[in-house]
Amino acid sequence: MKKIWSGRLGNSLSSEADAFNSSIAFDSRLYKQDILGSIAHATMLAKQGILTKEDADLIVKGLQDILEDIETGALPIDLEAEDIHSFIESELTSRIGDAGKRLHTARSRNDQTAVDLRMYLRDQGTIIKGLLVDLVKVLADKASDHRDTIMPGYTHLQRAQPVTYGHHLMAYAMMFLRDIGRFKDALARMNYSPLGSCALAGTSYNIDRAYTAQLLGFDGITQNSMDSVSDRDFCIELLAASSIIMMHMSRFCEELILWSSWEFGFVEMDDSCSTGSSIMPQKKNPDIAELIRGKVGRVYGHLVSTLTMMKGLPLSYNKDMQEDKEAIFDCMDTVKACLGVFTPMIKTLTVNKDRMYKATQEGFINATDLADYLVNKGMPFRTAYKIIGQIVAYCIEKGLILEKMPIEDYKGFSQLFDTDLYEQISPEACIKRRISEGGTGSESLEKQLAYVSAILDKEKEK
Ligand code: ARG
């Protein structure tokens, strides 16, 4: 195919270099944004008297036809073309003649690709934000179902203190809420139109950038033409926010993988998100959770590759920047695919309450509460801490747990102990006693649920 730039150079690019240079295999997905951007541009050029009304009408009609033909499959994308922008422009010209050649007045592919990408990512970002809202809703609903499901809370993956499964789920709800916030921030910051920045320095034509920005649903225009054509901060922000989402999902997946093992037995994944083994008949494997955990690497990789790609670029546009697309497209696809299976996985998870509860009765998870028991009876915390440490060592030696150690033995360590201690160190009592804000007590959980639901309601209003 003849190059749109084949004036000075003729058509002598080697076929290897041509294929290497081409981006249409991956930027063809921008066809719709490219067409809408061009329609807005032509409309603006006509309004400003730069194009005649007749030419603009031909262009707009021609572009609308091309859009329809691409979507119905009547017009296959020519993978020999250099990129989606030149493909659509030359298709337009072959359909409407000279008017098509006028479309690129006061425009460059540099601002064109920048505006297309912002429009595409704005839509993708909004989809991901919606998926996050659905996820947080599921987490909050499940948390509300599991207000009273008691499980061990861990630090260092050692049983630490009892918590409710609801509280544990709400920890993730908070993470994904912040992810929603990060996406919102990034989407708001990127919604400014670079169109009209042209190659790098603006144009001598009397264009109306605010008008095209408005036609394309932007909140305004970018302020510096050199920055506009060479800025990919919006990709990097989305990549960074996506990396954090992936990290959050991966942490939960890691827990689910552990919890669904025989050793923990806390949860069972639904058959809809488990697989079997081709050789071991007893196996039920958490493949989906593992795959999400595994896919984090590629998203982090795209963030790092894009940051690295940008770091040495002199202003303004450089062809290196064509590398932005595969990275950010794969990132968006991956995050969407992961959220698409993660949320149903959480929703359909079976929780083995008995196993969770039983795990709180071993491992001295109530030792802190036993120390607090002595503190409440007047002993300084450090002294109590030391005594409980000795009691734990004694229990381990005798094969006892705190709930089962006889009161006479307790009295041997301190006369402050009495039979009321047993009731005080039950997992239920430990949780009930956690009255501080943000803790695992029931009042805190109610507050967390209300907090999340207020934010979700606001998100849904939009
Ligand atoms: N395919 C190119 C990209 O994605 C379009 C911009 C080309 N501009 C240029 N001056 N070669 O970056």
Side-chain angles (χ1 to χ4, degrees):
M1 184 190 264
K2 197 156 189 260
K3 293 284 172 273
I4 49 175
W5 40 260
S6 65
R8 168 166 172 198
L9 293 179
N11 226 8
S12 56
L13 192 66
S14 76
S15 58
E16 287 82 2
D18 194 13
F20 183 72
N21 192 46
S22 170
S23 55
I24 195 153
F26 48 86
D27 68 15
S28 60
R29 66 164 88 189
L30 296 175
Y31 72 87
K32 191 169 183 186
Q33 289 73 21
D34 197 69
I35 289 172
L36 296 177
S38 290
I39 289 176
H41 182 64
T43 309
M44 179 279 290
L45 290 179
K47 176 177 93 68
Q48 297 300 97
I50 302 167
L51 271 188
T52 63
K53 170 102 176 55
E54 296 69 49
D55 279 346
D57 287 347
L58 275 175
I59 291 172
V60 170
K61 172 79 175 63
L63 288 168
Q64 281 165 344
D65 290 346
I66 292 175
L67 178 59
E68 197 183 315
D69 290 350
I70 293 177
E71 296 201 320
T72 58
L75 173 62
I77 306 275
D78 176 7
L79 292 176
E80 302 285 305
E82 185 176 339
D83 55 27
I84 189 65
H85 323 294
S86 44
F87 170 71
I88 290 171
E89 190 184 321
S90 55
E91 177 64 25
L92 181 69
T93 302
S94 76
R95 289 185 183 202
I96 65 168
D98 271 359
K101 295 186 189 164
R102 297 210 165 91
L103 169 62
H104 213 53
T105 314
R107 188 175 71 168
S108 152
R109 273 185 301 161
N110 297 350
D111 58 340
Q112 194 179 351
T113 194
V115 79
D116 291 1
L117 196 52
R118 283 182 192 235
M119 285 164 68
Y120 177 82
L121 293 177
R122 175 172 79 177
D123 292 347
Q124 295 300 306
T126 306
I127 293 171
I128 290 177
K129 197 163 68 70
L131 290 171
L132 287 169
V133 168
D134 296 344
L135 168 59
V136 174
K137 173 96 183 56
V138 165
L139 287 167
D141 287 349
K142 290 279 152 190
S144 149
D145 294 347
H146 288 283
R147 295 170 145 86
D148 302 318
T149 304
I150 296 175
M151 66 178 289
Y154 295 82
T155 61
H156 312 272
L157 201 59
Q158 305 281 324
R159 287 174 192 166
Q161 292 178 359
V163 294
T164 64
Y165 178 54
H167 191 55
H168 194 108
L169 286 171
M170 289 309 283
Y172 283 99
M174 300 304 164
M175 296 179 220
F176 291 114
L177 264 193
R178 292 195 294 275
D179 291 329
I180 292 173
R182 269 183 281 272
F183 257 72
K184 273 175 68 172
D185 289 351
L187 289 173
R189 207 166 8 256
M190 72 191 256
N191 201 29
Y192 290 87
S193 171
L195 191 60
S197 300
C198 304
L200 77 161
T203 177
S204 53
Y205 292 97
N206 175 30
I207 58 172
D208 185 347
R209 290 189 58 205
Y211 183 61
T212 44
Q214 190 202 331
L215 290 178
L216 295 172
F218 286 99
D219 293 327
I221 60 166
T222 56
Q223 295 297 315
N224 179 294
S225 61
M226 294 180 80
D227 176 46
S228 304
V229 295
S230 64
D231 166 32
R232 293 295 182 270
D233 289 4
F234 57 98
C235 294
I236 294 170
E237 285 191 37
L238 292 177
L239 285 160
S242 297
S243 296
I244 300 175
I245 297 175
M246 291 300 293
M247 178 269 286
H248 290 153
M249 271 195 279
S250 183
R251 290 185 74 177
F252 204 177
C253 285
E254 170 73 11
E255 293 194 318
L256 295 179
I257 293 161
L258 287 169
W259 291 355
S260 57
S261 67
W262 283 105
E263 285 72 7
F264 276 85
F266 286 1
V267 296
E268 189 177 336
M269 306 255 189
D270 192 62
D271 289 357
S272 61
C273 34
S274 307
T275 58
S277 156
S278 57
I279 173 169
M280 297 166 282
Q282 84 283 13
K283 291 294 284 294
K284 183 168 180 183
N285 294 331
D287 285 36
I288 303 303
E290 291 171 303
L291 207 45
I292 294 172
R293 189 178 58 182
K295 283 183 189 288
V296 179
R298 64 203 277 169
V299 175
Y300 287 4
H302 295 319
L303 169 63
V304 174
S305 71
T306 306
L307 281 168
T308 312
M309 179 272 283
M310 289 299 293
K311 87 177 180 62
L313 298 187
L315 294 185
S316 56
Y317 178 83
N318 298 269
K319 193 61 175 253
D320 315 43
M321 290 163 67
Q322 181 166 285
E323 288 286 315
D324 58 2
K325 287 174 202 62
E326 283 166 292
I328 189 68
F329 292 163
D330 185 66
C331 167
M332 296 284 111
D333 293 350
T334 304
V335 173
K336 276 191 299 179
C338 289
L339 284 168
V341 288
F342 183 74
T343 304
M345 186 167 75
I346 307 296
K347 202 171 175 176
T348 57
L349 197 68
T350 306
V351 175
N352 190 338
K353 294 185 187 180
D354 292 344
R355 285 284 298 225
M356 282 183 168
Y357 188 75
K358 203 162 169 288
T360 63
Q361 297 182 309
E362 298 151 7
F364 307 100
I365 202 162
N366 40 13
T368 318
D369 292 81
L370 194 56
D372 288 341
Y373 172 91
L374 290 177
V375 170
N376 283 330
K377 299 216 165 180
M379 187 181 281
F381 179 76
R382 269 295 152 233
T383 318
Y385 173 92
K386 199 160 174 208
I387 290 177
I388 306 304
Q390 289 161 353
I391 292 176
V392 168
Y394 176 82
C395 282
I396 291 170
E397 194 193 314
K398 302 273 177 205
L400 284 170
I401 56 173
L402 296 177
E403 295 87 328
K404 297 267 164 68
M405 185 167 112
I407 188 67
E408 302 75 52
D409 292 15
Y410 271 113
K411 288 213 181 279
F413 286 94
S414 166
Q415 282 304 318
L416 292 176
F417 283 121
D418 216 331
T419 48
D420 61 336
L421 78 88
Y422 297 105
E423 183 272 314
Q424 300 254 343
I425 60 170
S426 70
E428 290 83 351
C430 294
I431 286 178
K432 213 166 162 203
R433 216 175 293 118
R434 297 286 183 282
I435 53 168
S436 60
E437 274 183 288
T440 193
S442 61
E443 213 172 292
S444 152
L445 187 67
E446 296 312 319
K447 267 197 185 166
Q448 295 178 56
L449 288 169
Y451 173 83
V452 166
S453 115
I455 294 180
L456 291 186
D457 285 348
K458 246 198 241 154
E459 265 328 300
K460 283 202 187 113
E461 274 166 29
K462 287 176 200 156

